[in-house]
Amino acid sequence: MTEHTHTTCEELLDSLSAYIDGALAPELCRELEKHLAECNNCRVVLNTTKRTIDLVQTPLEKPDLPEDVRERLFKRLNLDDYLTRKSK
Ligand SMILES: [Zn+2]
């Protein structure tokens, strides 16, 4: 029998998203990591969840437009705004 803490797989999977978010209490993180070291099943779930979150978060982190294009656009908008105001 593997040495298990009182953390069950179910409890662990419950706090998995908090763990990935970094919102989990340090104590629980340690417990969770200890369990992950022993439990292949939970490791697979963690990796899958992480990968899913990565996929979901990537578009949020990267703007639709490349940095230089966005900068040019902003400059242009500011300039237009400036010119419009000045002409009034
Ligand atoms: Zn487990």
Side-chain angles (χ1 to χ4, degrees):
M1 182 183 164
T2 45
E3 192 194 312
H4 256 198
T5 58
H6 62 270
T7 310
T8 67
C9 290
E10 226 174 48
E11 276 174 341
L12 188 137
L13 296 176
D14 250 10
S15 46
L16 203 60
S17 60
Y19 172 72
I20 293 168
D21 281 353
L24 200 64
E27 271 180 51
L28 291 172
C29 279
R30 238 170 288 139
E31 230 172 86
L32 197 144
E33 278 160 3
K34 201 173 156 191
H35 178 88
L36 283 171
E38 295 170 351
C39 184
N40 188 51
N41 179 51
C42 286
R43 267 205 307 273
V44 171
V45 176
L46 175 70
N47 287 336
T48 309
T49 309
K50 264 188 174 170
R51 219 173 302 145
T52 309
I53 287 173
D54 278 351
L55 285 175
V56 170
Q57 278 181 347
T58 303
L60 291 175
E61 282 169 5
K62 289 181 184 167
D64 289 329
L65 297 167
E67 190 78 24
D68 60 324
V69 173
R70 208 165 51 135
E71 204 172 294
R72 242 180 292 154
L73 185 68
F74 279 147
K75 267 184 193 162
R76 190 162 187 166
L77 288 172
N78 285 339
L79 189 65
D80 286 346
D81 190 39
Y82 176 73
L83 289 172
T84 311
R85 255 189 261 160
K86 206 181 177 186
S87 67
K88 264 180 189 172

